[in-house]
Amino acid sequence: MPVYNMEIPGNDAALISAQRAGLVACSHCGRVYPPGTESCGRCGSGLDPDGRKSLQGVWAWLAAGILVYLPANIYPMLRTNTLLDSSESTIVGGAIELFHHGAYAVAAIVFVASILIPIGKFLAIGYLAMSLGRRSRMSVHHRHMLFEVVEFIGRWSMIDVFVVAILSALVHLGSVANVNPGIAAVSFALSVAFTMLSAQSLDPRLIWDADEEDR
Amino acid sequence: MTEPSPADPIVRPARRGPMSRLSPVWLVPILALAVSLGIAWQSYAERGVLIEIAFPSASGVAAEKTELKYREVSVGLVETVSFSDDLSEVIVAVRVDRKLAPYMDEDARFWVVRPEVSAQGISGLNTVLSGVYIEGSWDSEAGTAQTAFAGLARAPLADPTRKGTAIQLSARDGNSIVAGAPILYRGIPVGAVEAPELTDTGDGVIIRGFVEAPHDRNLSTNTRFWDISGVSVSLGPGGVSLDFSSVASLVQGGISFDTMVAGGEAVEQGQVFPLYANQAAARASLLDDPSLDSLKVLAVFDGSIGGLSEGAIVRFRGVQVGAVENVAMIASDQSGRKVVQLHATLAINPARLGLGEGAGPEDGLNFLRDYVAQGLRVRLATASLLSGQLVVDLVELPEAEAAEVTMTEDKLPQLPTVEADVADLNATAEGVFQRINNLPVEELLASLQSLIDSANTIVAADETRALVPGINATMAELQTLVPDLKATLAKTEATLEEARKITAGLRESGATENVNKVFSSAAAAADAVEIAVAELPKLTARLNTLAARTENVLSAYDDSSRLITNALSTLRDISEAADALRTLARTLQRNPNSLLMGR
């Protein structure tokens, strides 16, 4: 039984992946099985030899994320009732309003966190998922970096939702002022959650596999 | 010893099936799509109906901000504010609740609520902070929904959602009533009126009003409305009384009503009521039941009826029984001579003649026929000395010539008339003053003076001293003069008394028209009296000198005591007469009108 020393860095010539060895590795515990095995005998998780299911998950969550991102932008995020009037603001509308009021920094934060990042994430995940099956101009390293960034930044997209949640919890002053979350708040939270799940579904090993196929 | 080896994995071959290649995660986007579509469909389905309201001006109405409220609950939001094609109106597009849209039929009304300060108070104060809103009002029955409406410039008076009765008041003019003036019932506001509008014919105004439930149950066909606007000042035995209802009614007018007689019928929506000038008029009007026709009779007068106007009252034994409806001049031929007669049409309320409720014109006519046979005549009388207003009196003159009610060509019964006493009075008063004027005061004074002159000459002459019989004769002459003087005074006094009586009569019957003439002749008479009287002091002075001289003469002849006593008493009489004349003269000079006033 050959011993693969995976602990020694810089020894990648000796490393081969399970796929290359003609085996199926459990993505959860690392045990390898002969191809065709349905589930891991050690930890019980399902085996996915060519990452097809993983990729399907990525696309499915991404689609769901994009779907709920639409109402998040169409419907109002915040419903503000004050003594004088009531107003509803959407994400884009709020950012534009802030910009008009001269709060450029805040407007920029809202714009980046609520529009640029989610859309960038959609694009990044979509690009990564698409690049798995074919040659890519971007190096493996850069694709890994992109994947890490997407995973890291995902949680920060919830900043809008947090603001809405905190505001509506704090500002309940009876008839004087009230802040209620709109439909968009729920949609946006769902969208962020779906995108995160999409990023998590992406099995990074597939990037290696695609890379190895290139060689 | 066997090396521990991992348990043999259970190797199960992957099942092959059409669904096995699909990840169940695909359910998530499908679900998300379904939910999103559901939300989209729901919000589309629940999207309100867009209605357009045209306002003359829309100050304060802002798109996406101004709300449409119904009973103070927001039911819509203004979407756009634009102009009509000819820029004459502002079109406000409002997205209203789908559930309420069917109720917005042709009776829906919309107006902009703004803060308003009026005599009744401040309204719409909440809009100062929140901005204006559009108030809608419609009834609770769904009709054919409309999408285009004309907005009102101001809040309507009658809110169709409030129960009550709409009324219309007809008045001669709308001077004192301002839109929003309250309708009061026993001092409590129970409704309001809109601005008065001219009737189509322009001969009056109609004031639309609204009496809220449940106070509208106090309305009946017997209800009378009267104006309580402004201040009424009345001068009565209790002094001056100033009367006004409330500050609001002072500023914008007000209308009060009361149902003074029970038994009226229920009113309908939009019932027309007359508006009376004051409560007294409203009360008086109760006696004319509008359902009963009044009896129209004609009275023809030959003389002038200046001062008789339409609406002048018709009295029978001092009680108003009707009014003059019409005064016309009719030319006719009478035995070949053109004669102009004045025709006054009198509207007499039969119920007021004591015939009881429900008496019709026929009953009234029969009653008048009987009375005319007994001597009932129509006569003009002066209602007031100051205004010269005439009234028509139905007087009973049993000694009058027999007459009866005749029917004219127009089927109007004609009542016989008699000459007003107004005309005779003038002649009588003038005659009296003529007689005063004709009194021979001047001749009397002239003869008196010549007498005294001759007496003076006689007394002054030396031979008189030797002529006691001459003095005796003079005394006798003087003695005859004194009763004459007394008679003259008595006559003057009687005349004055007569004048006083006449003027008293004049004051009572009072004919202003003639009073001026009377006054002028009285003044002329008084002037004549005054001129005559001016001579009186001279006369008295002369009488005094005469007396003094006579005394001197008599002192020389003190032997004849009887003569002296006689002469002295005569002199006292003369002196008394002179005093009386002086007093009269002074009184007349100070107060010439005492001739008329009698004091």
Side-chain angles (χ1 to χ4, degrees):
Chain A
M1 198 170 179
V3 174
Y4 300 114
N5 188 354
M6 295 167 82
E7 265 78 50
I8 301 163
N11 197 14
D12 57 325
L15 286 177
I16 55 162
S17 64
Q19 195 189 24
R20 216 159 180 189
L23 296 167
V24 179
C26 173
S27 59
H28 206 80
C29 62
R31 172 118 200 227
V32 289
Y33 292 96
T37 312
E38 195 185 356
S39 59
C40 175
R42 185 157 66 183
C43 68
S45 55
L47 297 178
D48 185 14
D50 49 5
R52 191 183 291 119
K53 279 193 177 166
S54 156
L55 209 53
Q56 277 188 18
V58 172
W59 285 119
W61 287 120
L62 189 64
I66 293 172
L67 267 176
V68 292
Y69 186 69
L70 292 176
N73 275 291
I74 294 169
Y75 284 98
M77 188 83 172
L78 268 185
R79 203 171 271 133
T80 318
N81 292 308
T82 64
L83 196 61
L84 307 185
D85 66 343
S86 72
S87 66
E88 293 178 338
S89 48
T90 59
I91 295 170
V92 184
I96 293 170
E97 206 169 309
L98 282 169
F99 188 80
H100 279 306
H101 281 109
Y104 301 114
V106 183
I109 290 173
V110 170
F111 185 72
V112 170
S114 309
I115 293 162
L116 274 193
I117 291 178
I119 290 176
K121 265 161 60 181
F122 295 141
L123 293 176
I125 294 171
Y127 171 73
L128 286 175
M130 287 218 320
S131 69
L132 289 180
R134 65 200 67 179
R135 294 172 64 90
S136 169
R137 254 189 276 167
M138 203 185 261
S139 73
V140 177
H141 182 67
H142 281 132
R143 278 191 270 169
H144 271 291
M145 284 254 297
L146 185 63
F147 178 71
E148 286 299 322
V149 166
V150 166
E151 268 229 297
F152 172 78
I153 220 163
R155 65 205 75 165
W156 288 101
S157 297
M158 279 297 200
I159 192 163
D160 252 26
V161 179
F162 281 135
V163 167
V164 172
I166 290 169
L167 270 182
S168 47
L170 286 180
V171 187
H172 261 290
L173 306 179
S175 61
V176 178
N178 262 321
V179 172
N180 294 308
I183 298 173
V186 180
S187 306
F188 193 78
L190 280 175
S191 173
V192 172
F194 289 164
T195 326
M196 284 170 77
L197 285 171
S198 171
Q200 273 185 1
S201 304
L202 187 69
D203 191 345
R205 290 175 309 170
L206 292 174
I207 303 174
W208 307 342
D209 293 345
D211 188 46
E212 276 172 20
E213 277 163 19
D214 290 349
R215 291 193 186 160
Chain B
M1 188 174 175
T2 52
E3 220 178 295
S5 66
D8 276 340
I10 305 154
V11 176
R12 274 178 290 180
R15 277 171 295 164
R16 298 280 160 194
M19 295 305 288
S20 64
R21 295 172 68 85
L22 269 179
S23 164
V25 188
W26 281 110
L27 285 174
V28 175
I30 291 168
L31 206 67
L33 185 67
V35 169
S36 296
L37 287 178
I39 289 173
W41 183 82
Q42 191 188 10
S43 62
Y44 175 78
E46 281 188 359
R47 201 171 64 131
V49 178
L50 195 67
I51 60 164
E52 287 186 341
I53 310 168
F55 284 107
S57 89
S59 95
V61 175
E64 303 290 344
K65 193 160 178 286
T66 306
E67 291 175 325
L68 171 67
K69 290 189 177 182
Y70 173 64
R71 297 193 183 206
E72 297 292 318
V73 174
S74 178
V75 295
L77 192 69
V78 172
E79 268 198 3
T80 58
V81 179
S82 58
F83 289 105
S84 61
D85 291 338
D86 56 354
L87 303 185
S88 65
E89 281 178 321
V90 180
I91 308 285
V92 177
V94 185
R95 183 75 66 182
V96 295
D97 202 321
R98 181 166 286 276
K99 284 178 196 153
L100 281 170
Y103 295 97
M104 296 182 195
D105 42 20
E106 68 281 345
D107 67 344
R109 290 187 278 179
F110 300 91
W111 65 97
V112 180
V113 177
R114 302 186 177 91
E116 196 173 329
V117 180
S118 66
Q120 284 172 313
I122 302 171
S123 66
L125 199 60
N126 51 341
T127 60
V128 172
L129 291 176
S130 64
V132 303
Y133 60 88
I134 298 171
E135 176 89 35
S137 142
W138 45 84
D139 62 15
S140 50
E141 284 162 25
T144 314
Q146 293 186 351
T147 53
F149 298 93
L152 305 176
R154 51 170 298 141
L157 175 75
D159 183 347
T161 61
R162 277 150 81 195
K163 297 223 181 305
T165 304
I167 53 163
Q168 293 185 48
L169 300 169
S170 66
R172 198 170 269 278
D173 59 57
N175 267 344
S176 50
I177 303 296
V178 179
I183 296 178
L184 305 175
Y185 179 65
R186 299 188 193 280
I188 308 294
V190 297
V193 295
E194 285 175 3
E197 291 166 27
L198 271 180
T199 55
D200 294 338
T201 51
D203 58 355
V205 294
I206 281 282
I207 305 162
R208 282 172 218 286
F210 186 77
V211 180
E212 289 166 21
H215 307 291
D216 60 345
R217 65 166 180 239
N218 296 315
L219 294 172
S220 79
T221 49
N222 278 350
T223 302
R224 292 293 183 272
F225 288 81
W226 67 91
D227 191 354
I228 52 160
S229 307
V231 190
S232 81
V233 181
S234 55
L235 186 67
V240 180
S241 80
L242 180 73
D243 199 12
F244 65 88
S245 288
S246 68
V247 176
S249 68
L250 194 63
V251 174
Q252 57 178 174
I255 286 165
S256 189
F257 73 88
D258 200 355
T259 305
M260 297 158 181
V261 174
E265 290 158 34
V267 296
E268 299 160 9
Q269 290 286 336
Q271 175 113 19
V272 180
F273 290 98
L275 180 64
Y276 294 95
N278 50 49
Q279 189 172 7
R283 232 170 243 290
S285 73
L286 263 189
L287 292 164
D288 341 300
D289 189 342
S291 62
L292 279 182
D293 289 333
S294 56
L295 168 65
K296 303 272 178 8
V297 293
L298 189 70
V300 179
F301 300 99
D302 286 329
S304 158
I305 55 170
L308 185 70
S309 55
E310 287 175 23
I313 60 175
V314 177
R315 294 189 304 201
F316 177 55
R317 296 191 180 173
V319 177
Q320 184 184 350
V321 295
V324 175
E325 198 175 73
N326 185 25
V327 178
M329 198 181 268
I330 310 277
S332 60
D333 277 323
Q334 254 180 23
S335 54
R337 214 158 57 88
K338 283 271 180 199
V339 175
V340 171
Q341 288 178 317
L342 291 150
H343 288 209
T345 313
L346 316 177
I348 293 173
N349 189 340
R352 295 259 196 121
L353 289 169
L355 298 177
E357 292 286 322
E362 274 307 311
D363 304 323
L365 188 56
N366 290 334
F367 174 87
L368 286 180
R369 276 211 176 94
D370 295 347
Y371 255 81
V372 166
Q374 289 173 33
L376 182 89
R377 298 290 181 273
V378 177
R379 189 171 71 182
L380 290 177
T382 314
S384 145
L385 187 62
L386 290 173
S387 62
Q389 275 268 311
L390 293 184
V391 295
V392 178
D393 258 336
L394 303 179
V395 291
E396 289 161 280
L397 302 169
E399 70 274 15
E401 287 176 42
E404 58 179 1
V405 176
T406 53
M407 289 304 250
T408 63
E409 291 156 13
D410 312 335
K411 301 285 177 210
L412 267 180
Q414 182 180 344
L415 295 183
T417 56
V418 288
E419 286 275 310
D421 0 338
V422 186
D424 304 339
L425 186 71
N426 184 21
T428 322
E430 261 188 304
V432 170
F433 284 103
Q434 202 62 46
R435 266 184 278 162
I436 296 175
N437 231 4
N438 292 343
L439 283 179
V441 180
E442 279 162 69
E443 287 94 342
L444 175 74
L445 285 171
S447 64
L448 243 173
Q449 200 156 357
S450 65
L451 163 74
I452 287 162
D453 281 348
S454 57
N456 225 2
T457 345
I458 295 162
V459 171
D462 286 344
E463 56 262 39
T464 315
R465 299 182 176 194
L467 275 171
V468 177
I471 295 166
N472 266 342
T474 314
M475 286 299 157
E477 209 177 332
L478 274 171
Q479 255 170 339
T480 52
L481 174 68
V482 169
D484 220 19
L485 207 65
K486 272 187 182 166
T488 312
L489 279 173
K491 208 173 167 188
T492 314
E493 249 170 7
T495 314
L496 286 173
E497 188 57 40
E498 201 178 344
R500 199 178 297 150
K501 274 185 199 157
I502 288 158
T503 41
L506 225 162
R507 272 203 307 280
E508 275 165 22
S509 63
T512 334
E513 213 179 294
N514 303 310
V515 163
N516 279 342
K517 272 189 217 163
V518 174
F519 263 114
S520 60
S521 29
D527 281 346
V529 170
E530 210 176 325
I531 292 164
V533 162
E535 299 292 316
L536 285 175
K538 265 192 241 168
L539 176 65
T540 10
R542 278 170 191 249
L543 278 173
N544 273 346
T545 37
L546 169 66
R549 284 196 189 174
T550 316
E551 222 167 340
N552 286 342
V553 173
L554 290 179
S555 61
Y557 299 93
D558 51 358
D559 50 340
S560 171
S561 63
R562 190 184 57 84
L563 174 72
I564 288 165
T565 322
N566 266 353
L568 281 177
S569 71
T570 310
L571 280 172
R572 216 174 301 128
D573 280 352
I574 292 171
S575 164
E576 268 171 24
D579 278 343
L581 272 174
R582 201 183 300 135
T583 320
L584 173 66
R586 207 180 297 135
T587 316
L588 282 175
Q589 249 166 356
R590 212 178 288 148
N591 258 351
N593 62 347
S594 64
L595 255 179
L596 286 173
M597 305 312 284
R599 58 186 108 84

